[in-house]
């Protein structure tokens, strides 16, 4: 069933776990992720980032994601990741997304606050939740930019929470999008301080490459949403490649099946690490 992200994250706060938020690019990935969530009886978030719309147009993938969520046997929130423009954020809300992110992490804090407040005002008309980001997560969602990591200042998180009342706050603690060039060393000291000084559910971007132990530690230290993108895209590609290598693809529908299988395996692995199975 399609649910508001606010409700999923509030349950995660009560239960002290983090919900997996899975980036998808096509129907096969949507089917694979939902299959894993249903099999494991797990709540999930389906998301797509604004930079990905050139490959997967919002007017096509958006309704597909919302329909898949409505049909699912488990709670699914549909989230617009790294929203950059009011136009596309509004289009996602019109399509039925139950959550949107405004990424103003590149702006000075006060401008980020002002813009986020405007997005919250728009999203409230749709009863949708809003995620924002402060500090800079490294890399970029589609690998096109190598943005330097700039860790969140705990006092900025307090100010941001007080002035915006945002529903979820992405923070930067040494995490980065894409495959890490070296083992990530997350700043748990910063995460703990933010957790102690704020009440907002926190979001960890750049989930690919973070160790299972660190995921669990994050989820016990205020992180209530974990974004996974590259791991799923890579797993889908690998699944198709090995199906060809093993000679198990005889025609298009075997290829389609291999894509669904890759997304399913990635979502299943992360749901089990996050221990959100049977939390639906
Ligand atoms: P990864 O591609 O590193 O998993 O990051 C996902 C993400 O944070 C999407 O916003």
């Amino acid at each position: 069933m399609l649910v508001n992200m606010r409700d999923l994250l509030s349950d995660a706060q009560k239960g002290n776990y983090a919900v997996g938020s899975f980036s998808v690019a096509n129907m096969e990935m949507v089917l694979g992720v939902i299959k894993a969530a249903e099999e494991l009886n797990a709540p999930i978030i389906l998301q797509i980032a604004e930079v990905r719309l050139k490959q997967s147009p919002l007017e096509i993938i958006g309704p597909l994601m919302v329909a898949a969520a409505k049909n699912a046997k488990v709670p699914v929130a549909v989230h617009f990741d790294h929203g950059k423009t009011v136009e596309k954020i509004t289009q996602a809300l019109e399509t039925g997304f139950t959550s949107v992110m405004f990424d103003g992490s590149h702006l000075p804090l006060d401008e980020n606050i002002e813009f986020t407040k405007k997005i919250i005002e728009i999203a409230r008309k749709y009863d949708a939740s809003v995620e924002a980001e402060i500090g800079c997560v490294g890399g970029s969602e589609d690998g096109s930019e190598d943005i330097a990591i700039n860790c969140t200042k705990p006092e900025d998180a307090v100010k941001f929470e007080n002035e915006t009342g945002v529903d979820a706050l992405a923070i930067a603690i040494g995490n980065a999008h894409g495959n890490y060039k070296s083992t990530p060393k997350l700043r748990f000291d910063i995460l703990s301080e933010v957790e102690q000084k704020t009440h907002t559910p926190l979001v960890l971007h750049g989930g690919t490459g973070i160790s299972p132990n660190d995921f669990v530690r994050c989820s016990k230290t205020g992180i209530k949403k974990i974004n996974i993108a590259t791991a799923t895209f890579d797993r889908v590609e690998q699944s198709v490649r090995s199906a060809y290598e093993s000679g198990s693809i005889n025609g298009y529908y075997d290829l389609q099946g291999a894509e669904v299988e890759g997304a399913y395996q990635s979502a299943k692995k992360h749901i089990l690490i996050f221990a959100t199975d049977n939390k639906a």
Side-chain angles (χ1 to χ4, degrees), residues 98-212:
T98 54
S99 179
V100 290
M101 176 183 188
F102 168 66
D103 182 357
S105 58
H106 54 288
L107 298 172
L109 189 67
D110 285 326
E111 275 179 52
N112 191 355
I113 289 173
E114 283 319 304
F115 224 101
T116 301
K117 279 162 70 178
K118 285 196 189 111
I119 299 296
I120 291 174
E121 211 181 295
I122 299 170
R124 289 292 175 260
K125 294 185 196 141
Y126 298 84
D127 191 32
S129 45
V130 175
E131 175 183 333
E133 177 176 322
I134 55 169
C136 280
V137 171
S140 66
E141 217 287 325
D142 64 350
S144 62
E145 287 178 276
D146 193 13
I147 295 166
I149 294 171
N150 178 14
C151 287
T152 301
K153 294 187 188 69
E155 64 272 21
D156 287 356
V158 173
K159 181 176 156 84
F160 201 91
E161 173 181 271
N162 288 339
E163 295 188 19
T164 63
V166 76
D167 301 295
L169 186 58
I171 55 160
I173 53 167
N175 45 322
H177 293 107
N179 286 309
Y180 288 89
K181 294 180 186 91
S182 57
T183 310
K185 288 198 182 62
L186 298 183
R187 291 285 306 269
F188 284 100
D189 54 329
I190 296 177
L191 182 58
S192 292
E193 202 182 328
V194 175
E195 187 209 11
Q196 280 157 26
K197 293 183 171 164
T198 61
H199 306 97
T200 310
L202 303 174
V203 182
L204 185 75
H205 282 244
T208 300
I210 291 188
S211 70

Side-chain angles (χ1 to χ4, degrees), residues 17-85:
Y17 57 84
V19 180
S21 192
F22 297 98
S23 297
V24 290
N26 61 13
M27 184 184 75
E28 288 69 24
M29 294 176 79
V30 170
L31 292 175
V33 170
I34 290 198
K35 181 180 167 200
E38 287 185 336
E39 190 179 294
L40 296 169
N41 196 29
I44 53 152
I45 300 160
L46 281 181
Q47 64 180 17
I48 186 157
E50 185 161 341
V51 283
R52 292 296 185 194
L53 300 181
K54 51 188 183 299
Q55 290 103 351
S56 312
L58 188 56
E59 37 288 343
I60 297 168
I61 189 110
L64 193 156
M65 290 164 73
V66 172
K70 284 183 179 162
N71 275 306
K73 296 187 188 76
V74 289
V76 180
V78 178
H79 175 73
F80 191 58
D81 191 29
H82 291 285
K84 291 174 181 294
T85 61

